[in-house]
């Protein structure tokens, strides 16, 4: 075995260890919250040693940032798949139904991963805040793309403010997640998104 082969295998093994740490931390932080998840919790859940953890992360903040990156990839991929071809109000309402139904499986208990992280880390970790800001912007752009396709297909008036509508719809989603999390009931989430969609639909050409 050459030194190069050994180094490559070690790098691959290290990548798997890092992935295991981040995945375990993501699961814990999503359910318990960032503040309530300790490094000892992450060590136990990931089944790695303390030396392995510190080989990849200097502190908890670095783990949180890696978790945000992972959760962001999951959320954006989900939204790309759900919104990428939406071009009708019926399609937007199907997107709404999928969000609500998925959250109903947990009785709304855990909220949106990105929203939950934002509420916990944005005030004290500017690196994490900027990462979350970029992820929300990407989500907003996906919504704007769907709304713009409605406009191009004649379902919305030509002067409808696409970007503003996308921001409002994303705010309705995030507010709905928070209310559902508080109530352990997705009804408020469904209502808030419905109101945003009803407003968008009202902007159809006269």
């Amino acid at each position: 075995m050459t030194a190069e082969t050994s180094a490559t295998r070690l790098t691959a093994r290290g990548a798997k260890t890092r992935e295991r740490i981040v995945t375990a931390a993501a699961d814990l932080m999503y359910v318990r919250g960032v503040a309530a998840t300790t490094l000892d919790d992450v060590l136990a859940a990931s089944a790695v040693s303390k030396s392995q953890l510190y080989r990849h992360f200097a502190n908890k903040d670095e783990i949180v940032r890696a978790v945000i990156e992972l959760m962001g990839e999951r959320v954006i991929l989900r939204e790309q798949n759900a919104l990428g071809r939406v071009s009708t109000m019926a399609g937007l309402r199907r997107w709404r139904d999928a969000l609500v139904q998925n959250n109903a499986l947990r009785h709304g208990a855990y909220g949106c991963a990105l929203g939950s992280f934002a509420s916990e880390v944005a005030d004290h970790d500017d690196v994490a805040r900027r990462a979350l800001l970029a992820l929300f912007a990407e989500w907003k752009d996906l919504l704007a793309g769907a709304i713009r396709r409605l406009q191009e297909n004649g379902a919305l008036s030509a002067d409808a403010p696409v970007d503003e509508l996308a921001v409002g719809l994303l705010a309705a989603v995030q507010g709905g997640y928070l209310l559902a999390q508080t109530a352990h009931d997705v009804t408020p989430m469904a209502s808030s998104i419905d109101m945003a969609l009803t407003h968008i639909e009202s902007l159809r050409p006269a």
Side-chain angles (χ1 to χ4, degrees):
M1 180 184 298
T2 66
E4 183 178 353
T5 302
S6 178
T8 300
R9 290 187 176 181
L10 180 61
T11 300
R13 188 160 59 245
K16 288 182 180 180
T17 299
R18 186 184 189 280
E19 181 182 3
R20 192 159 69 246
I21 293 168
V22 175
T23 301
D27 292 342
L28 288 170
M29 291 177 182
Y30 181 53
V31 175
R32 298 183 182 180
V34 173
T37 300
T38 67
L39 289 180
D40 285 340
D41 294 331
V42 176
L43 287 170
S46 61
V48 303
S49 68
K50 188 171 291 188
S51 64
Q52 285 177 307
L53 186 146
Y54 282 110
R55 188 174 299 134
H56 296 283
F57 302 100
N59 50 47
K60 182 178 174 180
D61 283 347
E62 289 191 0
I63 295 177
V64 171
R65 293 165 191 167
V67 167
I68 289 171
E69 181 180 0
L70 173 63
M71 300 301 278
E73 288 174 355
R74 291 175 179 176
V75 170
I76 295 303
L77 178 61
R78 181 196 72 201
E79 294 303 291
Q80 286 173 338
N81 291 335
L83 291 165
R85 296 184 180 180
V86 169
S87 58
T88 64
M89 280 305 305
L92 268 183
R93 292 195 180 279
R94 284 193 295 271
W95 162 80
R96 168 266 192 210
D97 291 345
L99 274 186
V100 172
Q101 289 169 10
N102 184 62
N103 204 30
L105 297 175
R106 300 182 294 269
H107 306 289
Y110 305 128
C112 171
L114 300 187
S116 298
F117 278 102
S119 68
E120 288 205 68
V121 307
D123 289 339
H124 65 80
D125 186 341
D126 199 53
V127 174
R129 181 191 65 79
R130 290 197 304 270
L132 287 161
L133 181 64
L135 288 165
F136 280 123
E138 193 169 354
W139 195 346
K140 186 272 292 183
D141 288 344
L142 290 170
L143 289 167
I147 295 170
R148 190 169 289 109
R149 287 190 291 276
L150 266 70
Q151 192 176 52
E152 293 167 351
N153 290 340
L156 289 181
S157 64
D159 59 352
V162 171
D163 286 329
E164 291 179 17
L165 292 172
V167 170
L169 182 52
L170 181 55
V173 169
Q174 290 302 313
Y177 268 121
L178 179 60
L179 293 174
Q181 184 177 13
T182 305
H184 283 199
D185 179 1
V186 295
T187 302
M189 179 183 184
S191 297
S192 65
I193 300 175
D194 283 344
M195 288 188 69
L197 292 180
T198 297
H199 175 63
I200 291 172
E201 195 168 22
S202 74
L203 300 178
R204 57 184 177 274

